[in-house]
Amino acid sequence: MDALRRVDGRAAAELRPVEILTGVAPAANGSALIRCGHTQVVCAASIVPSVPDWMVGRGVGWITAEYAMLPYATQPRSKRELERLSGRTQEIRRLIGRSLRASLDLALLGERTVYIDADVLQADGGTRTASITGGWVALALALRGLVAAGELPDTALLTPVAAVSVGLYQGQAILDLCYQEDVHAEVDLNVVMDGQGRLIEVQGTAEGQAFRREQLDAMLDLAEVGIATLLTRQQAVLQVA
């Protein structure tokens, strides 16, 4: 597997260097800057004491997400989305929200909404998966305040959640694709898992040629290994935050 020469010299099953810094957005209830290689995303969690109109009276909380790629995150500069969100942006917002809702007992949250803002400072592949991994850290930090105030049991946060990209590149399964690998990959797969090794979401596309079941299994195996490392990194960060 490791005979493949990747763009940045990594082994096929090797993550990019990962760094998570907390407290980067003091006005939010919880925040984290996650760096995965050259990809950098600021994730912030803000709690408001209300829920969307369609949820009022149910006694259940909600988590929703907003995602934006800042114009200078790419080269050349991209246009800022002001009047209308692209389909990609809307889909990523929904993915982040779904993924993080799976980590929390929303009934215990009560009628509160947690907004997760994910703003991409630099994009080099894997921005949506970094947003989920960093977003969960921000969420966990935000909920600490409610737990400390006695407004939320510490059992409300059911499990950590993390995500990573995998793909087929030159016929081989690889972990954590950078942008150059992503644009040339035969298959692009985003995988979200929880702390119990259960799948939350798998998004996969064959870019031109169909792939086999055994290739899918190989990619999922890589994702599981990578996500286990990310989950460990999350816990280490929270222990010192």
Side-chain angles (χ1 to χ4, degrees):
M1 177 178 288
D2 292 344
L4 175 68
R5 184 175 181 83
R6 297 183 66 175
V7 170
D8 50 14
R10 283 181 292 144
E14 185 178 353
L15 288 170
R16 291 174 290 179
V18 178
E19 182 180 16
I20 304 174
L21 304 175
T22 60
V24 297
N29 296 102
S31 62
L33 167 64
I34 182 168
R35 297 189 180 109
C36 300
H38 295 301
T39 290
Q40 300 185 50
V41 185
V42 173
C43 304
S46 302
I47 303 171
V48 299
S50 60
V51 291
D53 290 345
W54 57 274
M55 295 186 67
V56 171
R58 298 184 183 183
V60 176
W62 191 243
I63 299 176
T64 189
E66 296 189 9
Y67 167 97
M69 187 175 294
L70 300 179
Y72 52 80
T74 60
Q75 184 58 249
R77 179 188 185 276
S78 59
K79 291 184 178 180
R80 195 181 298 270
E81 294 182 338
L82 295 176
E83 296 181 0
R84 183 176 181 181
L85 296 177
S86 68
R88 175 183 182 274
T89 295
Q90 294 182 59
E91 186 270 324
I92 292 176
R93 287 182 170 197
R94 289 192 290 267
L95 171 64
I96 297 169
R98 286 195 303 270
S99 299
L100 298 184
R101 285 194 294 273
S103 74
L104 183 63
D105 187 331
L106 295 173
L108 292 180
L109 182 62
E111 293 202 358
R112 300 182 178 93
T113 299
V114 183
Y115 288 90
I116 304 294
D117 289 291
D119 294 300
V120 180
L121 303 182
Q122 187 170 356
D124 186 31
T127 61
R128 73 187 67 194
T129 54
S131 297
I132 293 167
T133 303
W136 184 83
V137 172
L139 172 64
L141 290 171
L143 295 179
R144 279 184 178 179
L146 294 179
V147 173
E151 299 179 25
L152 185 73
D154 57 10
T155 56
L157 199 57
L158 301 172
T159 177
V161 167
V164 76
S165 65
V166 287
L168 288 182
Y169 180 72
Q170 297 180 13
Q172 185 167 324
I174 62 172
L175 176 67
D176 193 16
L177 283 67
C178 67
Y179 177 76
Q180 286 181 277
E181 292 170 335
D182 192 359
V183 295
H184 296 293
E186 295 99 62
V187 175
D188 182 19
L189 204 70
N190 296 299
V191 182
V192 187
M193 298 180 73
D194 69 11
Q196 300 179 49
R198 298 177 300 184
L199 292 165
I200 295 173
E201 186 136 357
V202 178
Q203 296 182 333
T205 305
E207 303 291 346
Q209 184 175 346
F211 56 100
R212 300 186 302 277
R213 170 65 180 271
E214 57 266 29
Q215 292 174 310
L216 174 61
D217 290 341
M219 288 184 283
L220 290 175
D221 287 344
L222 278 183
E224 186 171 8
V225 171
I227 288 174
T229 299
L230 293 171
L231 291 167
T232 299
R233 188 67 54 84
Q234 288 175 327
Q235 296 305 315
V237 168
L238 290 175
Q239 286 177 4
V240 299

